[in-house]
Amino acid sequence: MQLRYSFRVYPSAGQRTALARAFGCARVVFNDALRVREEARRAGLPFVTSAELSTHLTAVKKTPERAWLGEVSAVILQQSLRDLDTAYRNFFDGLKGKRPRMGAPRFTSKRDNRQSIRFTANAAWRITPGGKLRLPKIGDLKVKWSRTLPSAPSTVTVVKDRAGRYVASFVVETDASEVLPQTTPEVGIDLGLGHFAVLSDGTKVDSPRFLRRAEMRLKKAQRALSRKEKGSCNRNKARTKVARAHARVADARREFHHQLSTRLIRENQAVAVEDLAVKGLARTRLAKSVHDAGWSAFVSMLEYKAARYGRTFIRIGRFEPTSQVCSQCGVKDGPKPLNVREWTCQACGAVLDRDINAAVNVAKAAGLAVSACGAQVRRAPVPAPRSEAGTHPKRPTQRTWEQARIPGPWAREDVTCC
């Protein structure tokens, strides 16, 4: 499988200028190709192919108006055309129902805060013996290596994000040597807001709430931005501060997702989660908390790490009544409001934790072997059947039990059934 490794790069002033030139050329080529296809569509002409766009680009570079396109690597421009093809393919696949529907390709602006360029193997880029990234017509970029690449990368993408940071993203191929040894535990996961994740073995992972904790700092930066005059240099500096504050929140959330997903994949042979309707939940009054949790990114990490390390990943349907079914007897007693965190099964009398019960049901729906010990079930007092009810002999008083030095029934402890 293919993996992407990202590292921070620190270009010099001249290299930042060269990167800005490359970003601009890639943007112009993308917009020119999109304009050609749109004009052909309005005129009722056939769809312009990629080969025709590449020929058109070669001819345009020889004109005086676009001669400056030759100042950057030709691979960057060709990859910009590939990005346009990908955008059209995703748009048409959405119309056919092969993937979630998305809008048609749009023109990119030079005021976009996130820009990127991509180099393939034929661009003659390489990593120098000194650990720097050598890019054609840009130079040797200083890279902050945090880990070793598992294999030789095939492509590298240089990204400038909204916070003004430069990142080099490498695509590498991995083999089956990273498959982890077999293990026994299998776990179901119930994702929530009070607890980020509740496992079928009874473990509860608290929600860090990174956005909620950083709200005061974000509000302060946003108020400072709103006071700046539009178009001024001070406003641009304030915008960068806001972007950096949000980037710190996103980085902390991503690190939390990576650590938790890696631990779950390493400790369990199979992992099951519920397919949540995140887009629908993001339109409710819980929208901020839903976005702060980042369930979709976490589930995506579980999925690709399971494939990477030879684990089993199962996603059950979102309409599975995990919160309505008793995990002990399987009786469904209807939906419950969110404020009900513990409920008693009317059929078997088991007192169930809502989240743990849902996690156990997720594992059972996925066909995983789950022990009832993790459900934290205790038996509630159940009335005796009518056939067993009747007159019982009078029980001795507390003084009688004490004289006989026998512990009375008041000395018994509640028994928790596992």
PDB file of all heavy atoms in Angstrom, residues 302-317:
ATOM      1  N   LEU A 302      -7.900   4.393  11.643  1.00  0.00           N
ATOM      2  CA  LEU A 302      -8.075   2.996  12.013  1.00  0.00           C
ATOM      3  C   LEU A 302      -8.116   2.095  10.793  1.00  0.00           C
ATOM      4  O   LEU A 302      -7.522   1.008  10.775  1.00  0.00           O
ATOM      5  CB  LEU A 302      -9.367   2.829  12.823  1.00  0.00           C
ATOM      6  CG  LEU A 302      -9.363   3.278  14.284  1.00  0.00           C
ATOM      7  CD1 LEU A 302     -10.753   3.110  14.865  1.00  0.00           C
ATOM      8  CD2 LEU A 302      -8.358   2.491  15.106  1.00  0.00           C
ATOM      9  N   GLU A 303      -8.778   2.556   9.754  1.00  0.00           N
ATOM     10  CA  GLU A 303      -8.951   1.726   8.559  1.00  0.00           C
ATOM     11  C   GLU A 303      -7.628   1.480   7.847  1.00  0.00           C
ATOM     12  O   GLU A 303      -7.294   0.341   7.501  1.00  0.00           O
ATOM     13  CB  GLU A 303      -9.955   2.384   7.621  1.00  0.00           C
ATOM     14  CG  GLU A 303     -10.354   1.536   6.433  1.00  0.00           C
ATOM     15  CD  GLU A 303     -11.481   2.147   5.644  1.00  0.00           C
ATOM     16  OE1 GLU A 303     -11.857   3.310   5.926  1.00  0.00           O
ATOM     17  OE2 GLU A 303     -12.002   1.467   4.734  1.00  0.00           O
ATOM     18  N   TYR A 304      -6.854   2.542   7.616  1.00  0.00           N
ATOM     19  CA  TYR A 304      -5.618   2.329   6.856  1.00  0.00           C
ATOM     20  C   TYR A 304      -4.535   1.666   7.711  1.00  0.00           C
ATOM     21  O   TYR A 304      -3.710   0.911   7.189  1.00  0.00           O
ATOM     22  CB  TYR A 304      -5.132   3.640   6.244  1.00  0.00           C
ATOM     23  CG  TYR A 304      -4.223   4.493   7.079  1.00  0.00           C
ATOM     24  CD1 TYR A 304      -2.867   4.195   7.227  1.00  0.00           C
ATOM     25  CD2 TYR A 304      -4.694   5.627   7.714  1.00  0.00           C
ATOM     26  CE1 TYR A 304      -2.033   4.985   7.983  1.00  0.00           C
ATOM     27  CE2 TYR A 304      -3.872   6.432   8.473  1.00  0.00           C
ATOM     28  CZ  TYR A 304      -2.540   6.101   8.601  1.00  0.00           C
ATOM     29  OH  TYR A 304      -1.714   6.891   9.355  1.00  0.00           O
ATOM     30  N   LYS A 305      -4.544   1.899   9.013  1.00  0.00           N
ATOM     31  CA  LYS A 305      -3.565   1.225   9.865  1.00  0.00           C
ATOM     32  C   LYS A 305      -3.884  -0.256  10.017  1.00  0.00           C
ATOM     33  O   LYS A 305      -2.970  -1.086  10.139  1.00  0.00           O
ATOM     34  CB  LYS A 305      -3.496   1.909  11.226  1.00  0.00           C
ATOM     35  CG  LYS A 305      -2.860   3.292  11.179  1.00  0.00           C
ATOM     36  CD  LYS A 305      -2.803   3.942  12.541  1.00  0.00           C
ATOM     37  CE  LYS A 305      -2.190   5.335  12.433  1.00  0.00           C
ATOM     38  NZ  LYS A 305      -2.103   6.015  13.738  1.00  0.00           N
ATOM     39  N   ALA A 306      -5.170  -0.602  10.021  1.00  0.00           N
ATOM     40  CA  ALA A 306      -5.535  -2.018  10.052  1.00  0.00           C
ATOM     41  C   ALA A 306      -5.062  -2.720   8.787  1.00  0.00           C
ATOM     42  O   ALA A 306      -4.546  -3.847   8.839  1.00  0.00           O
ATOM     43  CB  ALA A 306      -7.045  -2.162  10.219  1.00  0.00           C
ATOM     44  N   ALA A 307      -5.211  -2.079   7.643  1.00  0.00           N
ATOM     45  CA  ALA A 307      -4.724  -2.672   6.399  1.00  0.00           C
ATOM     46  C   ALA A 307      -3.206  -2.740   6.367  1.00  0.00           C
ATOM     47  O   ALA A 307      -2.630  -3.686   5.812  1.00  0.00           O
ATOM     48  CB  ALA A 307      -5.244  -1.864   5.207  1.00  0.00           C
ATOM     49  N   ARG A 308      -2.558  -1.781   6.985  1.00  0.00           N
ATOM     50  CA  ARG A 308      -1.098  -1.752   6.968  1.00  0.00           C
ATOM     51  C   ARG A 308      -0.497  -2.829   7.849  1.00  0.00           C
ATOM     52  O   ARG A 308       0.477  -3.480   7.481  1.00  0.00           O
ATOM     53  CB  ARG A 308      -0.617  -0.370   7.406  1.00  0.00           C
ATOM     54  CG  ARG A 308       0.889  -0.231   7.510  1.00  0.00           C
ATOM     55  CD  ARG A 308       1.270   1.140   8.022  1.00  0.00           C
ATOM     56  NE  ARG A 308       2.717   1.288   8.128  1.00  0.00           N
ATOM     57  CZ  ARG A 308       3.328   2.366   8.616  1.00  0.00           C
ATOM     58  NH1 ARG A 308       2.596   3.397   9.043  1.00  0.00           N
ATOM     59  NH2 ARG A 308       4.636   2.427   8.684  1.00  0.00           N
ATOM     60  N   TYR A 309      -1.078  -3.040   9.026  1.00  0.00           N
ATOM     61  CA  TYR A 309      -0.501  -3.961  10.001  1.00  0.00           C
ATOM     62  C   TYR A 309      -1.178  -5.325  10.029  1.00  0.00           C
ATOM     63  O   TYR A 309      -0.944  -6.109  10.950  1.00  0.00           O
ATOM     64  CB  TYR A 309      -0.562  -3.340  11.403  1.00  0.00           C
ATOM     65  CG  TYR A 309       0.273  -2.096  11.543  1.00  0.00           C
ATOM     66  CD1 TYR A 309      -0.312  -0.853  11.751  1.00  0.00           C
ATOM     67  CD2 TYR A 309       1.664  -2.151  11.465  1.00  0.00           C
ATOM     68  CE1 TYR A 309       0.451   0.297  11.870  1.00  0.00           C
ATOM     69  CE2 TYR A 309       2.435  -1.012  11.587  1.00  0.00           C
ATOM     70  CZ  TYR A 309       1.827   0.214  11.795  1.00  0.00           C
ATOM     71  OH  TYR A 309       2.593   1.343  11.911  1.00  0.00           O
ATOM     72  N   GLY A 310      -2.020  -5.622   9.062  1.00  0.00           N
ATOM     73  CA  GLY A 310      -2.623  -6.943   8.977  1.00  0.00           C
ATOM     74  C   GLY A 310      -3.723  -7.198   9.981  1.00  0.00           C
ATOM     75  O   GLY A 310      -3.961  -8.342  10.367  1.00  0.00           O
ATOM     76  N   ARG A 311      -4.429  -6.162  10.397  1.00  0.00           N
ATOM     77  CA  ARG A 311      -5.550  -6.312  11.314  1.00  0.00           C
ATOM     78  C   ARG A 311      -6.870  -6.291  10.536  1.00  0.00           C
ATOM     79  O   ARG A 311      -6.909  -5.955   9.350  1.00  0.00           O
ATOM     80  CB  ARG A 311      -5.557  -5.206  12.363  1.00  0.00           C
ATOM     81  CG  ARG A 311      -4.305  -5.134  13.220  1.00  0.00           C
ATOM     82  CD  ARG A 311      -3.996  -6.429  13.927  1.00  0.00           C
ATOM     83  NE  ARG A 311      -3.072  -6.243  15.034  1.00  0.00           N
ATOM     84  CZ  ARG A 311      -2.332  -7.191  15.544  1.00  0.00           C
ATOM     85  NH1 ARG A 311      -2.403  -8.419  15.043  1.00  0.00           N
ATOM     86  NH2 ARG A 311      -1.524  -6.959  16.553  1.00  0.00           N
ATOM     87  N   THR A 312      -7.947  -6.622  11.237  1.00  0.00           N
ATOM     88  CA  THR A 312      -9.275  -6.632  10.634  1.00  0.00           C
ATOM     89  C   THR A 312     -10.033  -5.399  11.082  1.00  0.00           C
ATOM     90  O   THR A 312     -10.141  -5.124  12.282  1.00  0.00           O
ATOM     91  CB  THR A 312     -10.050  -7.899  11.042  1.00  0.00           C
ATOM     92  OG1 THR A 312      -9.306  -9.049  10.651  1.00  0.00           O
ATOM     93  CG2 THR A 312     -11.415  -7.927  10.376  1.00  0.00           C
ATOM     94  N   PHE A 313     -10.558  -4.666  10.118  1.00  0.00           N
ATOM     95  CA  PHE A 313     -11.353  -3.470  10.399  1.00  0.00           C
ATOM     96  C   PHE A 313     -12.750  -3.684   9.834  1.00  0.00           C
ATOM     97  O   PHE A 313     -12.916  -4.042   8.667  1.00  0.00           O
ATOM     98  CB  PHE A 313     -10.706  -2.231   9.766  1.00  0.00           C
ATOM     99  CG  PHE A 313     -11.535  -0.985   9.925  1.00  0.00           C
ATOM    100  CD1 PHE A 313     -11.487  -0.255  11.102  1.00  0.00           C
ATOM    101  CD2 PHE A 313     -12.359  -0.552   8.905  1.00  0.00           C
ATOM    102  CE1 PHE A 313     -12.244   0.892  11.248  1.00  0.00           C
ATOM    103  CE2 PHE A 313     -13.123   0.590   9.039  1.00  0.00           C
ATOM    104  CZ  PHE A 313     -13.060   1.320  10.213  1.00  0.00           C
ATOM    105  N   ILE A 314     -13.765  -3.479  10.678  1.00  0.00           N
ATOM    106  CA  ILE A 314     -15.158  -3.702  10.288  1.00  0.00           C
ATOM    107  C   ILE A 314     -15.939  -2.441  10.609  1.00  0.00           C
ATOM    108  O   ILE A 314     -15.844  -1.893  11.704  1.00  0.00           O
ATOM    109  CB  ILE A 314     -15.769  -4.910  11.020  1.00  0.00           C
ATOM    110  CG1 ILE A 314     -14.921  -6.159  10.785  1.00  0.00           C
ATOM    111  CG2 ILE A 314     -17.201  -5.156  10.567  1.00  0.00           C
ATOM    112  CD1 ILE A 314     -15.353  -7.353  11.593  1.00  0.00           C
ATOM    113  N   ARG A 315     -16.740  -2.003   9.643  1.00  0.00           N
ATOM    114  CA  ARG A 315     -17.601  -0.831   9.821  1.00  0.00           C
ATOM    115  C   ARG A 315     -19.057  -1.296   9.691  1.00  0.00           C
ATOM    116  O   ARG A 315     -19.470  -1.751   8.625  1.00  0.00           O
ATOM    117  CB  ARG A 315     -17.283   0.222   8.772  1.00  0.00           C
ATOM    118  CG  ARG A 315     -17.905   1.598   9.050  1.00  0.00           C
ATOM    119  CD  ARG A 315     -17.849   2.424   7.771  1.00  0.00           C
ATOM    120  NE  ARG A 315     -16.498   2.593   7.291  1.00  0.00           N
ATOM    121  CZ  ARG A 315     -15.769   3.683   7.482  1.00  0.00           C
ATOM    122  NH1 ARG A 315     -16.263   4.683   8.165  1.00  0.00           N
ATOM    123  NH2 ARG A 315     -14.540   3.771   6.989  1.00  0.00           N
ATOM    124  N   ILE A 316     -19.817  -1.205  10.766  1.00  0.00           N
ATOM    125  CA  ILE A 316     -21.206  -1.643  10.728  1.00  0.00           C
ATOM    126  C   ILE A 316     -22.103  -0.494  10.283  1.00  0.00           C
ATOM    127  O   ILE A 316     -21.694   0.671  10.298  1.00  0.00           O
ATOM    128  CB  ILE A 316     -21.660  -2.183  12.096  1.00  0.00           C
ATOM    129  CG1 ILE A 316     -21.742  -1.046  13.119  1.00  0.00           C
ATOM    130  CG2 ILE A 316     -20.723  -3.272  12.586  1.00  0.00           C
ATOM    131  CD1 ILE A 316     -22.392  -1.452  14.413  1.00  0.00           C
ATOM    132  N   GLY A 317     -23.331  -0.821   9.896  1.00  0.00           N
ATOM    133  CA  GLY A 317     -24.259   0.176   9.393  1.00  0.00           C
ATOM    134  C   GLY A 317     -24.677   1.173  10.457  1.00  0.00           C
ATOM    135  O   GLY A 317     -24.747   0.860  11.652  1.00  0.00           O
TER     136      GLY A 317
END
